[in-house]
Amino acid sequence: MFTDSFRDECGDVIRRSLGFILFPEQFRCAEALTAGRIVEMQTGEGKTAAAVPAAAWLAREKKGVHILTANDYLAQRDAEWMRPAYEALGLRAGWIRQTSSPEARRRAYAADVTYVAATEAGFDYLRDCRALTPAERVQRGHAAAIIDEADCVLIDEARIPLVLAGETEGGAAASRAAGPVARELHPAVHFERSPDGASINLTFQGFEEAAQRLGIAELQDSPLFTALLHALHARELLHRDVDYLVKDGCIVPIDAYKGRGARERRWPAGLHAALEEKEGLPIQDPGRILSSITMQNYARLYGHLCGMTGTARSQAEEFWRIYGLEVEALPTHRPMIREDRPDRIFLTAEEKTRAIVAEIHDVHATGRPVLIGTASVEASEALSARLNGLPHRVLNASNEDAEAALIAKAGERGAVTISTNMAGRGVDIQLGDGVAGLGGLHVIGASRNDSRRIDHQLRGRAGRQGDPGSSQFFLAFDDALFTRLLDPGETVDSAADCDSLQRRAEGRHLEVRQLLDRYEGVVEGQRHAVMRKREESLANGDTTQLAAIDEAWACFLEEVEVMKSGFVFLQMGGRDPLPEFLANFHELSGRFWEFVEAQCGPDAPPARRGATWTYLSVDMPFGTGMERIVRGMIRKVKAGKFWG
């Protein structure tokens, strides 16, 4: 906890340099951050400014403080906005964007406080882990981090791997050959969807048909088998303007939590290439994974970890179990007077849509601004088409570059704004002249999400800093929340029932994340051991062993992925995959240093140190789809080990 004199100094500095006074609640936020907690602070309550006293206090040790933001735009905006306060306190603030050069990154990390997107900081760490000299590195350690939008970074995106990739060849040709064949196969004849709709299964007839069309007798042993399954997955399970965009000649996955296009993200391996083939785009070779880390494990590197967000209490258990972080919820500076109306539930999506359109027209007629949150780009465009000429703006992954300007205008008199998601937007909606007297912003939720937090984030856009406002959610029995989670014979009659379903979904997601953490924990332990040995070699100036370790680690990650490929079939057979995974993993780990030594010998092949690039892998935790599962099954059958 910082002292009264430091508190007074910060308050005076911010008043003089930035022109506003920090509320007592903002100081409480800063104190909680310095105590290492996750702070729940409502939208519009001033989290950006509240981070300044906390960062200044943590920066006293001169080891650097990272403020990890949701995106590049917020990193630059917040650093430049708060810089006068830091300078008045005798501190230097820097910022990093995706386009920053290595030298610019090095200068920014050398500052007392560094604003950087969480993913970008993780990528810098991966690149530093392959540096052949200390001078090549840009980061100087991981002393302290303050995470903005902490629930998004540490929960929603915690499982998504950050990948450093290197050059490879051959994947594009397989995708070009497999795509046309996949388009000739017919559902229910040549392939079937799994019961949960998440994967594709080839029938025997489909296997024979594909082998004949590709001209390969032993299709199961060919890379074209994997490419074919990728092509079917891309055709049947991934949909344009729902799962991805085609923008500037590139496939851009849509972030399910933020509703934005994620340009830096790719589907794993050949699945992204299959999408490029499907859309008639140039096919890029997928690259070879050189190193990878999840945001969850990257965040754990920091000696002092804390964060802030508008929604955290519903995930308090997970913050504690995974990170050992307590959640502290702060009251608003002014009383919350927003009216949250009971959900309206309809039998069909069409009835629901008609009701939403009617409500938009009714509220718009009063002059109040309306903000509508939808689940996808497709849904936002469909709703837009139903507004019958009513002037409105659409904020979705298709026009994210204009999002700050669109959000800033969403509180003006008579404004109607449709958004795919409001999580992590980073811009407040301020009411225009006279709007408060009309009742403030009205928020409409076109569906409920699996996570209550996402709904709260949308609702929280109204009622900012004591403003009037209201919210209303519309649901239909054919919404995804109901079709996926309702048990046979179960009914939904109220918002309490919907809340119960969301808790059920959140519980399932937590179970999955905890299960995956059991597997990744052993891999992460091996990575730490390898990095310690690498650091010793680097300190001794032994770059030959340093390069051998890097090559061995890339091969090691490939083998780990192969081991994961049979998980689903082991579970179907009633077996827990974890014991087998641990046994195979430890056997592989034992051979790791033998491979390193072989790479250092006189007959070792030259280390591959070509061009690298980074991307976020779309989260597919048990492999890249059905193709790996089938490959794992085939390996087990050939080895005579399938089903034990």
Side-chain angles (χ1 to χ4, degrees):
M1 302 288 284
F2 44 69
T3 63
D4 290 340
S5 61
F6 181 80
R7 175 191 178 112
D8 292 341
E9 180 187 7
C10 284
D12 184 58
V13 161
I14 289 174
R15 178 183 58 80
R16 288 187 287 104
S17 61
L18 300 178
F20 54 80
I21 297 174
L22 288 184
F23 302 143
E25 293 79 11
Q26 289 173 295
F27 276 113
R28 285 181 61 183
C29 174
E31 290 171 347
L33 293 174
T34 60
R37 300 191 185 109
I38 300 295
V39 180
E40 179 175 285
M41 195 176 192
Q42 295 300 310
T43 299
E45 292 290 300
K47 292 188 288 291
T48 302
V52 173
W57 180 260
L58 294 171
R60 294 172 309 137
E61 296 185 8
K62 298 297 181 182
K63 295 181 179 179
V65 178
H66 298 172
I67 298 186
L68 304 181
T69 65
N71 55 54
D72 277 1
Y73 164 75
L74 293 178
Q76 182 175 353
R77 185 203 70 174
D78 293 353
E80 293 180 341
W81 184 12
M82 298 294 119
R83 178 178 287 153
Y86 288 118
E87 291 178 346
L89 290 167
L91 301 172
R92 187 168 71 86
W95 54 266
I96 291 168
R97 291 186 67 107
Q98 190 174 8
T99 55
S100 298
S101 67
E103 185 52 42
R105 292 170 187 268
R106 203 169 288 113
R107 288 196 303 269
Y109 283 120
D112 299 290
V113 181
T114 307
Y115 286 78
V116 55
T119 53
E120 206 56 36
F123 288 142
D124 283 332
Y125 170 73
L126 290 178
R127 284 185 286 254
D128 280 357
C129 284
R130 284 180 57 86
L132 291 178
T133 66
E136 292 178 21
R137 294 177 171 170
V138 297
Q139 292 184 339
R140 59 185 177 117
H142 300 86
I146 299 173
I147 302 184
D148 195 10
E149 302 292 347
D151 56 341
C152 177
V153 173
L154 296 180
I155 303 296
D156 297 338
E157 298 191 342
R159 304 298 325 150
I160 298 176
L162 283 68
V163 176
L164 180 69
E167 296 174 328
T168 189
E169 296 179 357
S175 297
R176 290 191 191 96
V181 173
R183 286 190 283 275
E184 296 297 323
L185 302 182
H186 302 291
V189 177
H190 299 122
F191 64 88
E192 299 172 341
R193 288 194 183 198
S194 61
D196 62 2
S199 61
I200 297 292
N201 302 297
L202 273 179
T203 65
F204 179 78
Q205 185 176 348
F207 188 90
E208 292 291 310
E209 179 72 16
Q212 181 180 346
R213 288 181 177 274
L214 290 168
I216 299 176
E218 299 294 330
L219 178 59
Q220 70 273 15
D221 294 325
S222 169
L224 287 175
F225 184 37
T226 298
L228 177 68
L229 291 167
H230 276 139
L232 285 170
H233 189 113
R235 166 187 156 185
E236 296 293 320
L237 304 181
L238 297 175
H239 305 290
R240 186 169 178 168
D241 293 335
V242 176
D243 302 296
Y244 65 93
L245 299 168
V246 176
K247 199 167 186 178
D248 300 327
C250 297
I251 297 291
V252 181
I254 294 176
D255 187 307
Y257 295 103
K258 300 175 184 176
R260 294 190 185 96
R263 285 186 176 275
E264 76 283 8
R265 195 166 299 179
R266 289 177 61 89
W267 271 275
L271 185 54
H272 200 93
L275 281 169
E276 291 169 331
E277 193 281 332
K278 169 187 172 182
E279 296 293 345
L281 302 174
I283 302 176
Q284 304 175 38
D285 278 308
R288 177 185 189 226
I289 295 179
L290 302 176
S291 190
S292 177
I293 192 170
T294 62
M295 183 50 61
Q296 175 176 300
N297 287 325
Y298 177 71
R300 286 168 164 169
L301 297 176
Y302 287 92
H304 182 100
L305 184 65
C306 57
M308 50 191 180
T309 179
T311 48
R313 276 179 290 186
S314 63
Q315 304 296 139
E317 179 185 1
E318 187 162 359
F319 277 121
W320 177 252
R321 284 192 186 183
I322 302 297
Y323 301 99
L325 297 174
E326 294 181 347
V327 171
E328 180 174 337
L330 300 183
T332 56
H333 180 59
R334 296 187 178 94
M336 174 69 71
I337 61 173
R338 182 185 66 234
E339 177 191 3
D340 295 326
R341 300 171 183 172
D343 294 349
R344 296 179 62 186
I345 305 177
F346 299 85
L347 287 175
T348 67
E350 175 58 28
E351 292 177 278
K352 179 182 75 170
T353 300
R354 287 200 299 264
I356 291 173
V357 170
E359 175 128 340
I360 293 171
H361 280 278
D362 290 345
V363 176
H364 175 72
T366 70
R368 293 180 62 189
V370 184
L371 173 68
I372 308 100
T374 64
S376 68
V377 173
E378 183 182 47
S380 68
E381 299 289 357
L383 182 59
S384 173
R386 296 286 293 270
L387 291 186
N388 300 322
L390 182 72
H392 64 280
R393 304 181 182 97
V394 179
L395 173 61
N396 60 33
S398 298
N399 58 9
E400 65 205 38
D401 294 339
E403 72 172 37
L406 290 176
I407 295 172
K409 295 177 180 178
E412 294 178 350
R413 186 184 183 105
V416 176
T417 307
I418 302 174
S419 173
T420 49
N421 198 307
M422 291 303 296
R425 296 291 184 182
V427 180
D428 290 339
I429 297 177
Q430 301 188 28
L431 300 183
D433 292 341
V435 171
L438 299 174
L441 177 68
H442 182 55
V443 168
I444 294 176
S447 63
R448 280 193 178 274
N449 290 272
D450 278 5
S451 171
R452 289 169 293 162
R453 288 182 300 105
I454 305 299
D455 294 342
H456 293 334
Q457 288 164 355
L458 174 63
R459 182 181 283 122
R461 294 296 171 163
R464 171 186 174 274
Q465 293 190 2
D467 287 339
S470 57
S471 70
Q472 176 75 72
F473 277 78
F474 291 75
L475 294 79
F477 286 116
D478 46 8
D479 285 349
L481 181 69
F482 298 144
T483 58
R484 286 187 295 102
L485 296 173
L486 274 180
D487 294 328
E490 190 175 8
T491 61
V492 174
D493 300 314
S494 66
D497 292 336
C498 295
D499 188 74
S500 176
L501 281 180
Q502 289 177 304
R503 290 177 185 274
R504 187 183 303 174
E506 290 166 356
R508 291 179 183 178
H509 292 321
L510 175 57
E511 289 175 1
V512 170
R513 287 192 287 263
Q514 288 179 320
L515 173 65
L516 296 175
D517 196 46
R518 295 167 66 193
Y519 290 96
E520 287 210 356
V522 293
V523 180
E524 186 66 6
Q526 174 75 356
R527 191 182 67 80
H528 281 293
V530 169
M531 289 302 109
R532 283 195 297 270
K533 183 65 175 177
R534 190 183 191 280
E535 285 298 302
E536 294 175 7
S537 299
L538 195 64
N540 295 329
D542 187 352
T543 58
T544 300
Q545 187 176 55
L546 170 49
I549 290 175
D550 292 341
E551 177 66 18
W553 183 244
C555 294
F556 182 84
L557 292 178
E558 292 175 356
E559 288 298 316
V560 169
E561 289 303 309
V562 169
M563 286 194 295
K564 289 181 181 179
S565 64
F567 283 2
V568 173
F569 281 92
L570 289 174
Q571 290 173 321
M572 288 170 58
R575 290 167 54 182
D576 181 359
L578 184 59
E580 181 172 326
F581 174 77
L582 291 176
N584 291 336
F585 181 87
H586 290 309
E587 192 274 334
L588 178 63
S589 300
R591 292 187 284 110
F592 180 85
W593 297 109
E594 295 177 10
F595 184 76
V596 171
E597 292 303 317
Q599 290 289 304
C600 295
D603 299 326
R608 289 179 275 183
R609 308 295 296 188
T612 63
W613 63 93
T614 59
Y615 62 88
L616 280 79
S617 176
V618 174
D619 196 13
M620 302 179 73
F622 288 108
T624 62
M626 198 63 192
E627 79 291 348
R628 280 192 176 172
I629 297 169
V630 174
R631 281 163 50 200
M633 177 184 68
I634 291 170
R635 279 194 300 272
K636 290 178 179 292
V637 169
K638 287 186 174 181
K641 297 179 180 179
F642 195 64
W643 304 127

